[in-house]
Amino acid sequence: QDSQNTLKIYVRVGSEYVSPEQQETVYISSQDVITLIKGESDKKLTAELVNWNAISEGFNFVSKDTSIAKIASQSTNGIAYIEGISKGYTEVLITHTATKITKSVLVVVGENAREIEEILQEKVYLSTENNTISFNSIGGSTIAKIKSYNLPISEYSNIQWTSENEDVARVIPNGISATISAVGEGITTIIASHPNSINAIKFSVFVGIDYETPEETGQTHYRFCKA
């Protein structure tokens, strides 16, 4: 079944910072999976910014497939209510004006609670704990990890890790983990997937990019810097 959920990890390489107080990457935190019964319209989904001390207004929630689930209502301070429309799987994409790092939440809709429980116990799906990784210099490397649910250990070797631009970042797969190496300045995407999973994990990689996020505007500015 085609993957429907993505989760991005941004990797920044570079030792120079525009704003000393903004040392850590700003990213969105929320739950990885939300479940709904068909017809339910008041399922609450919350999000927050990490490493951000200013006003957090600027959130936006979008359903990838509104025939499965739609946003019943939302506010810019990080609260949305999801409505289950029909049985299936989709994702809600969460964005914020203070960061280009997005958060995807897998949405599972069932006819009843028992069906949802069966889905979560039988279907293969993936998640990750943290969608942010930072490096101080080009040439460094780190381990990216995912969690797999209902996937036999014997199938770990079939988890695929791919980089869309190996001139920016390269990946060496090792089952539910992989070594990511920063090799050049730019932006790329690394995807972890399995043929039997209902979702995939997408890691968006920034290499050699410095940034500042003015508190008074909430706008994010990026520039390339030498490590």
Side-chain angles (χ1 to χ4, degrees):
Q1 186 172 349
D2 292 339
S3 170
Q4 296 187 32
N5 184 43
T6 60
L7 183 59
K8 299 182 178 181
I9 286 185
Y10 287 72
V11 181
R12 188 183 69 252
V13 178
S15 57
E16 180 186 0
Y17 290 87
V18 173
S19 176
E21 68 274 8
Q22 198 72 28
Q23 295 292 319
E24 300 294 333
T25 303
V26 177
Y27 64 96
I28 299 168
S29 176
S30 185
Q31 62 199 85
D32 292 325
V33 181
I34 188 171
T35 61
L36 300 91
I37 296 174
K38 178 181 175 181
E40 185 178 4
S41 61
D42 58 351
K43 192 73 170 186
K44 187 177 181 181
L45 177 62
T46 61
E48 64 179 5
L49 285 180
V50 179
N51 301 319
W52 181 249
N53 296 321
I55 297 174
S56 60
E57 290 183 357
F59 282 101
N60 187 53
F61 299 77
V62 176
S63 173
K64 184 176 180 180
D65 187 347
T66 56
S67 70
I68 302 296
K70 70 177 184 179
I71 310 300
S73 63
Q74 65 174 294
S75 65
T76 59
N77 63 355
I79 299 175
Y81 290 91
I82 315 301
E83 180 178 354
I85 304 300
S86 62
K87 177 181 175 180
Y89 323 99
T90 187
E91 67 175 342
V92 168
L93 181 67
I94 309 173
T95 60
H96 193 282
T97 55
T99 178
K100 288 190 175 181
I101 301 173
T102 62
K103 170 70 176 181
S104 292
V105 178
L106 177 63
V107 180
V108 179
V109 181
E111 295 286 347
N112 50 56
R114 181 177 179 179
E115 184 177 68
I116 291 174
E117 186 67 22
E118 291 175 351
I119 290 172
L120 294 179
Q121 291 179 353
E122 295 175 1
K123 296 293 184 179
V124 175
Y125 61 99
L126 309 174
S127 71
T128 190
E129 291 183 352
N130 195 331
N131 67 339
T132 304
I133 298 175
S134 296
F135 286 120
N136 290 326
S137 62
I138 292 173
S141 63
T142 192
I143 302 297
K145 296 180 179 181
I146 60 173
K147 289 183 178 181
S148 65
Y149 299 85
N150 307 316
L151 182 68
I153 295 177
S154 60
E155 282 291 315
Y156 282 8
S157 60
N158 290 323
I159 296 175
Q160 301 173 349
W161 295 77
T162 57
S163 174
E164 292 185 351
N165 187 347
E166 292 191 344
D167 292 331
V168 175
R170 297 175 184 174
V171 58
I172 300 176
N174 186 24
I176 59 173
S177 66
T179 301
I180 299 176
S181 299
V183 297
E185 295 178 343
I187 303 172
T188 189
T189 301
I190 290 174
I191 301 173
S193 62
H194 186 277
N196 296 333
S197 178
I198 63 174
N199 71 317
I201 304 299
K202 182 180 290 185
F203 303 85
S204 295
V205 182
F206 280 30
V207 176
I209 291 182
D210 202 2
Y211 71 96
E212 61 176 343
T213 310
E215 294 186 357
E216 64 273 14
T217 65
Q219 296 176 343
T220 305
H221 303 278
Y222 291 84
R223 71 179 186 180
F224 284 92
C225 63
K226 297 294 184 180

